[in-house]
Amino acid sequence: MPSRMNAPSGTGVGILGAGLVAYLHLLGARGAGMQLRALASRGRRTAEHRARLFGARAYTFADIPMIATSEDIDIIVVGGPNGTHAAHVRALLGAAKAILVEKPLTLTLEDADALCEAQQRGASIAYAENHIYTPLIAKARALIEAGEIGAVRRVSAKFTSPAAPSGAWHVSDEMAGGGVMVDMGSHLLATTQYLLGGAKFVAAGSAEFEMEGTLEIAGTAALTTGDGVRVDIACSGRDPNPVCYYDIEGEKGVLRASYHPEPQALTLTKRGSEQQIAFDDQFSATIAGMFRRLGYVDQLKAVVAAWRDKTQPEIGALQGRDTLEALCAIYLAARAGRRVDDFASLDRDRSPIAMYRG
Amino acid sequence: MSGALRVALIGCGEVVQAIHWPTLATLGRSFQVSVCCDADQGVAENMARRCGARPSDDPFAAIASDDVDVILVGAPDAFHVEYVLAACDAGKQGVLVEKPLSMNARMARDAVDGVGRSNTAVVVAYPHLFDPMTERAQAAWREAGPLVFGKFTTIIGPNQAFAGDSAEVTRATNLSPLDIALAQFNYAVAATEVIGASASFANVTSHALLAGLTIHDLPVMRRLLGEPDDILFAKNYGGEAPPGVGLDIILKYGGGRMHIEAAVIAARECIWGLELRDCDRSVAVTYPTSFALAAESVCSVRDEHAGAIRETQHRGVYQTGFKREWLHLRDVIRNGAPNLSTVADAARDLELVGEIACRLA
């Protein structure tokens, strides 16, 4: 009996990278009705193992040109180690396919600048901040834009996990570019900017890291947007009860968007009264519903739709560069022990962790 | 060809520690463990000490080793096919691969193609298929008429509740939260390919239950009765554990019906067997409890004729299906015996798993 996913029709997806990110995008693709066609990893054995599990063709990173020219692939997710993103995107630029780049966009602002220029020349480069594509965050932004909490004064966001990633590249300066602040802080930064209608960060300070091994296992930072909103972020890779939430404080009330743990929740507190706000797929007990809730389904749909319409994705290389810029400022602030507010003078050729090392 | 066949244990989890190693220890003239390989180095080293073998942290190197003739694939399900194919590529004499052959039929078919091109004997390890009373039941059922009603019951407690009675199990200590999460995702990946992404969590769990537990029954059912005509009913239910841990399935065999019930329960209990009835004969088998190394299964045959009832009970054989599957592998390798549990058979079992899972959805 044929499986329900065997039909060779519909949008074709290629994924570069075979770690957790590959699983997330695969299940997001299935939820979006798309078909994984190719999977690439550094090593042949890992690629073949995952590709067999996922029902895709196996490639190594050396085969990226073959993936780029595959006629049955429409969108390629760049999800390998952080330090490979820039090179992998460059290898895909001539392919006229939709490119979705996992965070961080690149490890240096110089590489990010190059991708922004490529996007401005017409390449379809999207930045994979999945939180932005969740029904939770979409609803939260709609409420903020409708003035439910008035002018936003402050955002507090937190993202923790029970353990930091332990794979070999995750602990390498050259491949990871940083620890939990890059891994989880990037989500908080990009999503906060989105919630605030695309606000730009103009200053980073009060940044503190706890180091474990060579990279930071926990970190906090305070940033300021151009509109004067204070944004406090906190990340940790050793929380036995992991959480992820965004508290948006306005003049008239507070909105908490709780992304993790399940069940997700959106809570509006005004005049001392708390109201739970419903959103799509909030309690869906299906795989597609879960991955829609995580943002992976609508992210792929939006990126493919933009590519087909020959428009730029809403969250693209420019937004990815903004996030990287804020990260670089945070790492520099953590090292210098002072506020950093001249983002234009940040070194363009150093990764966030290199900013910290000095 | 003489001398013991040298065995590489690829994956040394509780089933290997508590069942296969003690079983091999009773077959020392036929099998000798030469390599123990596990993702957890401590588990591999502990197992190697017990077996008098050398430890390895590289399954492909272990499979290809010159001091290995036969592979036991006891690693997680997601790795079964690649280790089987590696053994075939390395020209090994044989493989015993734990059930299920893989996580869904598509993956299993990769093994069918690869094994078919090799000279390696690959036996899929289904202890109930090799159980002595299954053989007795098959002989008794051959004389029976068409099926009127049949039932397979598989209701068991968690493996950990039983494994410790057979061996002192050394568990992996190097599993990260990410490793555990990816293992869970593997089930979602395998299931959503078959039943679609709109599958509920309960149905994903049920797919795993079908592929992991009910899979014990399916090859026995197909051996005794052939292929079912249709799947009439399939439903999962919750209970003592997360959603989807119990299953009721009704299959059509001509005018007869086969009921498969399966559940994982919290209690340390094992209710495991089958029953087949035509109009005047019933054949039933009760299997031994999980992880029993030397235990009898019982086959009861009841005939009613001209008002008289005759009941015969067959028992007293303490050789379990676990031992008999190793003996069968040896017979296939040494004596060219026909393989009673091929990868093609196992792929068909997984196709049936998929068909039942789709019926749930």
Side-chain angles (χ1 to χ4, degrees):
Chain A
M1 175 171 182
S3 82
R4 293 184 175 182
M5 302 303 293
N6 277 349
S9 60
T11 305
V13 180
I15 297 178
L16 309 184
L20 172 64
V21 155
Y23 282 85
L24 299 174
H25 284 288
L26 166 70
L27 290 168
R30 287 185 176 171
M34 299 179 186
Q35 181 96 15
L36 180 68
R37 302 260 158 80
L39 181 95
S41 183
R42 267 183 300 186
R44 170 73 50 190
R45 281 218 201 282
T46 301
E48 288 176 348
H49 171 75
R50 287 279 196 266
R52 173 173 288 117
L53 189 59
F54 291 2
R57 301 189 299 268
Y59 297 90
T60 66
F61 288 160
D63 303 320
I64 287 175
M66 289 173 62
I67 299 173
T69 54
S70 293
E71 288 185 4
D72 62 350
I73 292 174
D74 304 294
I75 176 170
I76 299 172
V77 178
V78 175
N82 299 347
T84 63
H85 291 183
H88 287 178
V89 175
R90 279 196 297 271
L92 296 171
L93 283 178
K97 300 197 190 293
I99 303 170
L100 176 61
V101 189
E102 264 293 339
K103 51 81 188 164
L105 183 73
T106 59
L107 288 192
T108 69
L109 290 168
E110 182 175 49
D111 283 336
D113 290 338
L115 297 198
C116 290
E117 286 163 19
Q119 182 176 347
Q120 279 158 352
R121 287 195 302 271
S124 176
I125 302 175
Y127 177 58
E129 178 42 69
N130 59 291
H131 289 199
I132 286 171
Y133 292 95
T134 62
L136 167 75
I137 296 297
K139 189 73 169 187
R141 176 160 150 159
L143 290 171
I144 295 168
E145 288 181 339
E148 282 291 336
I149 57 171
V152 176
R153 292 194 290 227
R154 184 176 177 209
V155 177
S156 300
K158 188 171 185 178
F159 196 169
T160 66
S161 71
S166 57
W169 73 262
H170 287 285
V171 297
S172 148
D173 277 18
E174 288 72 33
M175 275 291 126
V180 296
M181 191 57 73
V182 166
D183 192 44
M184 290 182 280
S186 55
H187 285 287
L188 304 179
L189 294 167
T191 304
T192 297
Q193 287 182 285
Y194 177 77
L195 286 166
L196 299 179
K200 300 275 194 191
F201 292 116
V202 297
S206 306
E208 293 183 2
F209 288 170
E210 290 178 52
M211 305 303 283
E212 185 174 277
T214 57
L215 297 172
E216 79 281 8
I217 190 70
T220 58
L223 299 97
T224 309
T225 72
D227 298 325
V229 176
R230 178 178 163 115
V231 177
D232 293 300
I233 66 170
C235 310
S236 169
R238 52 168 183 228
D239 185 352
N241 300 302
V243 297
C244 179
Y245 63 78
Y246 302 85
D247 281 339
I248 307 106
E249 297 175 27
E251 288 176 339
K252 299 193 305 187
V254 178
L255 196 59
R256 169 171 277 211
S258 178
Y259 176 85
H260 181 81
E262 297 256 297
Q264 292 182 346
L266 186 58
T267 309
L268 174 63
T269 305
K270 285 170 76 168
R271 293 185 285 276
S273 147
E274 203 174 88
Q275 180 187 354
Q276 297 299 324
I277 310 292
F279 50 90
D280 289 348
D281 285 306
Q282 183 178 7
F283 300 110
S284 170
T286 68
I287 298 296
M290 175 183 174
F291 277 80
R292 180 143 192 260
R293 210 158 46 237
L294 296 177
Y296 290 97
V297 173
D298 289 350
Q299 178 173 251
L300 281 168
K301 284 182 175 177
V303 172
V304 168
W307 172 72
R308 289 214 161 102
D309 289 345
K310 296 183 170 44
T311 58
Q312 283 300 333
E314 183 182 5
I315 311 298
L318 295 172
Q319 286 72 29
R321 183 176 61 185
D322 285 347
T323 301
L324 180 63
E325 199 169 61
L327 283 171
C328 287
I330 288 169
Y331 279 74
L332 183 58
R335 173 192 149 221
R338 60 167 176 81
R339 177 181 162 105
V340 171
D341 55 17
D342 183 7
F343 285 17
S345 68
L346 290 168
D347 287 336
R348 309 302 286 178
D349 61 355
R350 305 176 83 199
S351 69
I353 194 63
M355 302 272 191
Y356 181 75
R357 300 247 189 266
Chain B
M1 190 179 298
S2 61
L5 291 162
R6 298 161 299 176
V7 182
L9 305 180
I10 307 298
C12 296
E14 65 185 2
V15 171
V16 173
Q17 292 183 49
I19 295 176
H20 286 292
W21 161 237
T23 300
L24 287 170
T26 71
L27 295 170
R29 281 196 290 271
S30 297
F31 298 100
Q32 178 183 21
V33 177
S34 58
V35 184
C36 296
C37 183
D38 195 89
D40 185 296
Q41 191 59 17
V43 170
E45 288 173 357
N46 185 282
M47 198 65 205
R49 268 194 300 275
R50 287 158 65 181
C51 298
R54 63 178 175 84
S56 170
D57 62 0
D58 183 342
F60 294 99
I63 288 168
S65 296
D66 289 338
D67 61 344
V68 170
D69 304 306
V70 163
I71 315 296
L72 169 66
V73 178
D77 302 347
F79 294 88
H80 285 188
V81 169
E82 65 201 79
Y83 294 155
V84 167
L85 293 177
C88 292
D89 288 343
K92 296 302 165 181
Q93 295 188 48
V95 178
L96 185 68
V97 53
E98 261 293 332
K99 61 82 197 164
L101 174 60
S102 192
M103 301 192 80
N104 64 31
R106 188 224 4 113
M107 292 185 236
R109 282 191 289 271
D110 281 354
V112 174
D113 296 338
V115 170
R117 290 190 295 267
S118 79
N119 295 318
T120 304
V122 181
V123 175
V124 183
Y126 287 117
H128 289 180
L129 194 63
F130 291 95
D131 190 281
M133 290 305 123
T134 298
E135 198 175 306
R136 176 65 65 176
Q138 185 175 8
W141 189 252
R142 246 183 238 123
E143 300 161 12
L147 180 76
V148 172
F149 172 75
K151 186 168 187 176
F152 277 84
T153 300
T154 303
I155 298 173
I156 65 170
N159 280 352
Q160 285 101 313
F162 301 96
D165 286 340
S166 297
E168 195 172 337
V169 175
T170 304
R171 300 196 183 278
T173 57
N174 64 351
L175 290 177
S176 67
L178 178 62
D179 292 328
I180 295 167
L182 292 188
Q184 302 284 336
F185 276 134
N186 282 343
Y187 288 108
V189 168
T192 53
E193 179 179 339
V194 177
I195 60 180
S198 59
S200 66
F201 300 148
N203 286 355
V204 169
T205 304
S206 293
H207 181 269
L209 191 68
L210 285 163
L213 187 63
T214 309
I215 200 92
H216 279 285
D217 302 324
L218 299 183
V220 176
M221 182 185 76
R222 291 174 56 236
R223 173 73 53 79
L224 267 54
L225 301 174
E227 300 294 330
D229 300 317
D230 199 4
I231 302 163
L232 298 177
F233 178 87
K235 189 104 174 92
N236 54 23
Y237 59 91
E240 298 178 48
V245 289
L247 290 165
D248 283 306
I249 302 153
I250 298 178
L251 306 174
K252 180 175 186 286
Y253 275 93
R257 300 290 179 264
M258 169 59 69
H259 177 206
I260 299 176
E261 64 172 353
V264 175
I265 59 177
R268 190 169 181 264
E269 194 172 359
C270 187
I271 305 166
W272 212 329
L274 66 91
E275 181 185 350
L276 306 176
R277 290 179 176 272
D278 71 1
C279 54
D280 54 16
R281 165 168 279 199
S282 74
V283 177
V285 176
T286 304
Y287 292 112
T289 194
S290 289
F291 289 85
L293 297 172
E296 63 170 7
S297 44
V298 178
C299 176
S300 304
V301 181
R302 184 181 188 279
D303 290 299
E304 184 170 340
H305 180 67
I309 293 172
R310 184 181 68 195
E311 193 159 334
T312 310
Q313 210 175 61
H314 306 271
R315 60 193 307 163
V317 178
Y318 287 80
Q319 197 180 67
T320 67
F322 297 116
K323 185 160 183 172
R324 289 164 66 94
E325 62 199 14
W326 279 106
L327 293 172
H328 178 66
L329 177 66
R330 184 195 64 187
D331 283 346
V332 174
I333 293 171
R334 294 280 200 223
N335 306 322
N339 187 346
L340 299 178
S341 182
T342 67
V343 291
D345 295 327
R348 175 59 196 134
D349 294 331
L350 285 164
E351 285 175 2
L352 190 51
V353 161
E355 289 162 13
I356 295 170
C358 286
R359 191 71 165 79
L360 282 171

